[in-house]
Amino acid sequence: MAASMNRVILAGNLTRDPELRFTNDGVPVCNFGLAVNRRRSKDDDAVDFFDVTVWREQGEAVANYKTKGDPVLIEGRLQYRSWEDRDSGQKRSKVDVVAENVQFLGGRGDGNGSSGGSGAGSGTKAGARHGRGGDDVDLNEEDFDDIPFRHRQPRLTAL
Amino acid sequence: MAASMNRVILAGNLTRDPELRFTNDGVPVCNFGLAVNRRRSKDDDAVDFFDVTVWREQGEAVANYKTKGDPVLIEGRLQYRSWEDRDSGQKRSKVDVVAENVQFLGGRGDGNGSSGGSGAGSGTKAGARHGRGGDDVDLNEEDFDDIPFRHRQPRLTAL
Amino acid sequence: MAASMNRVILAGNLTRDPELRFTNDGVPVCNFGLAVNRRRSKDDDAVDFFDVTVWREQGEAVANYKTKGDPVLIEGRLQYRSWEDRDSGQKRSKVDVVAENVQFLGGRGDGNGSSGGSGAGSGTKAGARHGRGGDDVDLNEEDFDDIPFRHRQPRLTAL
Amino acid sequence: MAASMNRVILAGNLTRDPELRFTNDGVPVCNFGLAVNRRRSKDDDAVDFFDVTVWREQGEAVANYKTKGDPVLIEGRLQYRSWEDRDSGQKRSKVDVVAENVQFLGGRGDGNGSSGGSGAGSGTKAGARHGRGGDDVDLNEEDFDDIPFRHRQPRLTAL
DNA sequence: TTTT
DNA sequence: TTTT
């Protein structure tokens, strides 16, 4: 078997308010867009855009405390998905980011009000809304494999 | 201006022979596919697939010494591209990996014949072919901005 | 609270055979040295040396399958320790690497016999010995905090 | 030759004001301490401390705009050094961090006034002082190997 | 679909 | 489009 590694670290800003949903088993999953400025040369205004998924407590913290425009630092892995386009029938695929660690930037000091993706649950940021009415969230069953099963908000949103 | 960071590290195997092309200015650019095994739980045979771009000397070294199946370790950044689909006219986008450092794995010892993406240019691996007849390579002009201009193989392949 | 991140990725070769010890609770901990070639310019033969700690199953796998000279790819975090020198009484400190993921390089293919830091337990590599008679292993109690308690080899070696 | 990689990413706060010095050739080099909170479990107040070196423009920007306590995000490599202790004559060694990319955190938004380690040189932060009277800076000759030679502030401070 |  |  070959050596394998898959690690990504990104710092940028949310391109939209995070959406929080739940699997049938009540596992929270948060999705948001991330813009990372390239800034390689001074007259380079290019931007890279990514879709980010955060599971469980950290996902809830992002949904509760972060909104469009907020800066975050994330560490995670790249995830490839492929599917068949319902219309054209042709194969499509996509690479997005599964964040395992989200650090809140911005605010006083270094920009960290509630810090490091924890967050109590009270005092959520004004404007943060919990996604509802979900079509097409990127859930991968294998993400559930190695994690202690927990029934938190059973069946709030079918995925 | 916000903090930005974009770093990715992957280890996996080539899914196809690398293709080497040249910009009009003769800058070498190499493309290959990379398969990274997920192996999170023992019965997890999921795989993530990525498209990788390597510029200049390192790109040439990959093209000269690596073929389908070979293991590599790469360090680089994620790059987002978007375009309009010529047929459907709908907007499409893609995230791929620009490798700035390619380490050859496999072989005796740790698997490193000519090592670390250097490699003279002679004695290329049997089976390694230089891409020819190129349509649709992912070239981004900004990649040329901060690099000393060099005319190496002028105009071999139009991109 | 400020944003914090601590991530390190290294590829190099063992500078000595790994030593395996156990805490009083029977938790395995493996230590080895790692040499990483700098190779920045072709006539650069500089090398960076690090001390690496690997806990639990992965530590056992390293001890069972790897010996001096073997190439590995590790992902982990940096750990700072400080103490008072018993002789001079002056304060000393050290930074070493705690590996959370060890990938075996070298061997056929990409150099991976038993792969990715798993390894059964039988058929250990000739020459791999389990450290015994331990003074001065770098154990940090906080490493035990977030990990399910397990009695594996109770009290084999006192630390 | 074996595969080698050396990459580190840290986010934390300066433990002291940065010191800026210059090599005999006038190359700026900045040194500061970095504290990274471990925060693994909620009652974990452990901290890891590192010494960081930043060369050239980025080093100047850090010295001009950052002071003790400020949050930064850095990307770089680990560097090992060894020497003989002048008193005891015994061998000593140390691992520190050479930052190749420093992102300023903190401030409004995400905490980035002058952003990403650029910064003109005017309007330096009150309290930022340029190190003077230097003994024992960690200069490694090989750091100069692959960089275009530049005479910026010739011989301001002997090292 | 796009953030500062 | 997919590697060991």
Side-chain angles (χ1 to χ4, degrees), chain C residues 1-2 4-5 7-11 13 36-40 48-50 78-80 92 100 142, chain D residues 1-2 4-5 7-11 13 36-40 48-50 79-80 92 100 142:
Chain C
M1 210 20 167
S4 71
M5 181 158 289
R7 182 68 18 194
V8 61
I9 292 170
L10 300 171
N13 300 78
V36 178
N37 292 68
R38 230 175 259 176
R39 198 197 329 242
R40 326 205 91 226
D48 295 293
F49 295 102
F50 308 105
L78 294 178
Q79 185 168 267
Y80 169 90
R92 299 280 312 273
E100 294 157 352
E142 62 271 31
Chain D
M1 212 15 168
S4 72
M5 182 159 289
R7 183 67 17 193
V8 60
I9 292 171
L10 300 171
N13 299 78
V36 178
N37 291 71
R38 232 175 257 177
R39 197 202 326 249
R40 325 207 89 226
D48 294 293
F49 296 101
F50 308 106
Q79 187 169 265
Y80 169 90
R92 300 282 310 275
E100 293 157 352
E142 62 271 32

Side-chain angles (χ1 to χ4, degrees), chain A residues 14-102:
Chain A
L14 302 212
T15 59
R16 55 182 192 267
D17 288 337
E19 277 195 89
L20 185 64
R21 299 177 185 184
F22 298 88
T23 67
N24 281 334
D25 293 330
V27 180
V29 55
C30 175
N31 287 89
F32 59 89
L34 187 72
V36 179
N37 291 68
R38 232 176 258 177
R39 197 196 332 241
R40 325 207 91 225
S41 41
K42 76 218 58 206
D43 37 43
D44 182 356
D45 57 341
V47 186
D48 294 294
F49 295 102
F50 308 106
D51 285 312
V52 181
T53 299
V54 198
W55 290 86
R56 284 162 267 273
E57 284 85 355
Q58 296 222 74
E60 294 180 298
V62 171
N64 285 336
Y65 295 106
K66 298 286 112 179
T67 55
K68 181 177 178 173
D70 285 349
V72 294
L73 167 61
I74 72 180
E75 178 182 13
R77 59 188 171 84
L78 294 178
Q79 186 168 265
Y80 169 89
R81 288 176 309 116
S82 69
W83 68 94
E84 199 141 311
D85 188 57
R86 13 41 294 146
D87 302 335
S88 61
Q90 57 188 354
K91 198 163 188 199
R92 300 281 311 271
S93 69
K94 187 162 180 298
V95 168
D96 38 37
V97 176
V98 177
E100 293 157 353
N101 176 14
V102 180

Side-chain angles (χ1 to χ4, degrees), chain D residues 22-123:
Chain D
F22 298 89
T23 67
N24 282 333
D25 292 331
V27 180
V29 55
C30 174
N31 287 90
F32 60 88
L34 186 72
V36 178
N37 291 71
R38 232 175 257 177
R39 197 202 326 249
R40 325 207 89 226
S41 41
K42 74 218 59 204
D43 37 44
D44 181 355
D45 59 343
V47 185
D48 294 293
F49 296 101
F50 308 106
D51 285 312
V52 181
T53 299
V54 197
W55 290 87
R56 283 163 266 273
E57 284 86 354
Q58 296 223 72
E60 294 180 299
V62 171
N64 285 336
Y65 295 106
K66 299 286 111 178
T67 55
K68 180 177 177 173
D70 285 349
V72 294
L73 167 61
I74 73 180
E75 178 182 13
R77 59 188 171 84
L78 293 178
Q79 187 169 265
Y80 169 90
R81 288 177 308 116
S82 69
W83 68 94
E84 200 142 308
D85 189 57
R86 3 73 261 158
D87 303 334
S88 61
Q90 56 188 355
K91 197 164 187 200
R92 300 282 310 275
S93 68
K94 188 162 178 301
V95 168
D96 36 39
V97 176
V98 177
E100 293 157 352
N101 176 13
V102 180
Q103 295 286 312
F104 297 172
L105 304 177
R108 75 194 188 313
D110 79 282
N112 226 339
S114 50
S115 176
S118 321
S122 62

Side-chain angles (χ1 to χ4, degrees), chain B residues 20 28 56-66 102-104 112-125 130 152, chain C residues 39 42, chain D residues 1:
Chain B
L20 184 65
R56 281 162 266 275
E57 283 84 355
Q58 296 223 74
E60 294 180 300
V62 171
N64 285 335
Y65 295 104
K66 299 286 112 178
V102 180
Q103 295 286 313
F104 297 173
N112 225 341
S114 50
S115 179
S118 323
S122 63
T124 72
K125 178 165 182 174
H130 296 204
R152 302 184 72 263
Chain C
R39 198 197 329 242
K42 74 216 61 205
Chain D
M1 212 15 168

